Amino acid sequence: MNDRDIRQEDRATRVQTFGIENTADFIAGGKANTHFGNIDRLLVDLGRAKAGQTPNRVSKSTLFDSLGIDLVNLSRTAGRIEQQESGFAAPYPAFPSEACPVQDHRPA
């Protein structure tokens, strides 16, 4: 589930809780009770669907590759800012090669 789906599920759960806590405020057999029942069924179906999903696992090498790309992009951005603001990126040397971003470039 993505963030939007999670927010929608949280919202439905809050509405369900509101309906349970305030049952006395609604007319028995009214439209509100029908809607709360629909939300109850929706959440049960959603729980079953979530249980049937397989998690999307990511390998460490994929995460490290992504991190390397992010570091190259940050270095490139700092270099562009350095062109306008002298001394900005001096403590952060650029990667010598984008093909091999996982090298030790810490300042001495």
Side-chain angles (χ1 to χ4, degrees):
M1 287 179 36
N2 59 25
D3 290 340
R4 179 175 177 256
D5 294 337
I6 292 170
R7 284 193 308 270
Q8 287 179 340
E9 180 187 12
D10 289 343
R11 184 177 346 157
T13 303
R14 287 192 305 270
V15 170
Q16 179 189 39
T17 302
F18 174 81
I20 291 169
E21 291 175 352
N22 298 296
T23 302
D25 295 338
F26 299 104
I27 300 171
K31 202 174 199 178
N33 290 332
T34 304
H35 291 309
F36 288 128
N38 290 339
I39 290 174
D40 292 342
R41 283 188 294 284
L42 171 87
L43 288 172
V44 168
D45 292 343
L46 182 62
R48 286 186 193 133
K50 285 187 344 185
Q53 290 181 342
T54 56
N56 186 11
R57 306 223 189 284
V58 180
S59 68
K60 279 187 182 179
S61 63
T62 303
L63 293 174
F64 280 126
D65 290 343
S66 177
L67 178 62
I69 291 169
D70 289 344
L71 292 174
V72 167
N73 289 337
L74 285 170
S75 176
R76 188 179 307 126
T77 301
R80 295 292 290 170
I81 294 172
E82 172 74 21
Q83 291 174 357
Q84 296 175 356
E85 297 180 27
S86 180
F88 176 82
Y92 309 103
F95 289 112
S97 167
E98 290 185 18
C100 186
V102 188
Q103 296 177 5
D104 189 9
H105 291 285
R106 290 178 284 192

